Amino acid sequence: MSGSEFEGTHPRTVFGPAPVGRQAIARMDVITQGRSLTAVTDPINRWLSSVQAVEGLLTVFLRHTSASLTIQENSDPNARDDLLDAYDRLVPTEGHWRHSLDGPEDMAGHVKSALTGVSLAIPVVHGRTDLGTWQGIFVIEHRLESHRRDLTLHYIGT
C-alpha cells in the first residue's frame, strides 16, 4: 500500500497513552415508563465521577431481553418518538408470534432488542463518556408497561 491511501485518516491523539490501572463495576436500576427511551447519560457520568474515572473504556450492559440500549439524539424528543415509531413499523406487535407468555408485545420486544443490542462500549475521556454534542445514552423500553431494568456498568482505565 502506498502512503497516499491513508492521507487524511491519521488518528488524532486525544490524550496520552496511559497504562490500564484499575476497574470498577456497579449495577444501576432504571425505571422505564413503558414504550420509551429513558436517558441514562447523566447518572452514568455521575458514577464515573464517583469512581474517579479518568481515561478508559466503559461497558454498559442491559440485563434484559425485551429492552435495549442505544446512543442517540439527546436534544429533540421528537427524534426519540420517531425512532420508537420506526421500530414499531419494522417489528409490529401483532406479528403472529408463537412466544406470548409475557404478553402480546413481549416477542416483538425481543426482536427489537436483538436488532438494537444490549451492550455498548463507550470511551471515557477526562472522566466522562466521550459522546458527541448531540448524543445521549438511552434504555429503550420495548414493552408497553413500565419496568425496572438493570444496567451493569464496567469501567476499566486510569
Side-chain angles (χ1 to χ4, degrees), residues 90-105:
L90 288 169
V91 185
T93 299
E94 54 284 333
H96 305 289
W97 309 107
R98 288 183 286 274
H99 170 74
S100 62
L101 295 175
D102 295 317
E105 84 282 6

Side-chain angles (χ1 to χ4, degrees), residues 8-136:
T9 61
H10 302 288
R12 183 170 46 108
T13 301
V14 178
F15 57 91
V20 172
R22 58 196 183 83
Q23 59 181 321
I25 193 163
R27 290 251 172 85
M28 186 172 95
D29 290 337
V30 177
I31 305 299
T32 66
Q33 300 303 311
R35 181 184 170 273
S36 63
L37 273 78
T38 302
V40 294
T41 310
D42 289 343
I44 288 173
N45 278 323
R46 284 193 299 275
W47 178 75
L48 287 168
S49 178
S50 77
V51 298
Q52 300 175 341
V54 181
E55 267 81 34
L57 184 67
L58 172 69
T59 302
V60 182
F61 178 75
L62 179 68
R63 303 179 48 201
H64 300 277
T65 59
S66 58
S68 56
L69 290 169
T70 192
I71 294 176
Q72 198 48 251
E73 159 76 48
N74 72 355
S75 178
D76 183 359
N78 288 320
R80 293 176 225 158
D81 292 338
D82 286 341
L83 186 63
L84 291 169
D85 291 346
Y87 281 132
D88 289 344
R89 285 191 301 275
L90 288 169
V91 185
T93 299
E94 54 284 333
H96 305 289
W97 309 107
R98 288 183 286 274
H99 170 74
S100 62
L101 295 175
D102 295 317
E105 84 282 6
D106 186 48
M107 189 61 214
H110 292 315
V111 173
K112 292 171 187 177
S113 175
L115 291 172
T116 307
V118 294
S119 74
L120 299 169
I122 305 164
V124 174
V125 176
H126 304 303
R128 297 180 56 80
T129 53
D130 192 33
L131 299 173
T133 301
W134 306 111
Q135 291 180 317

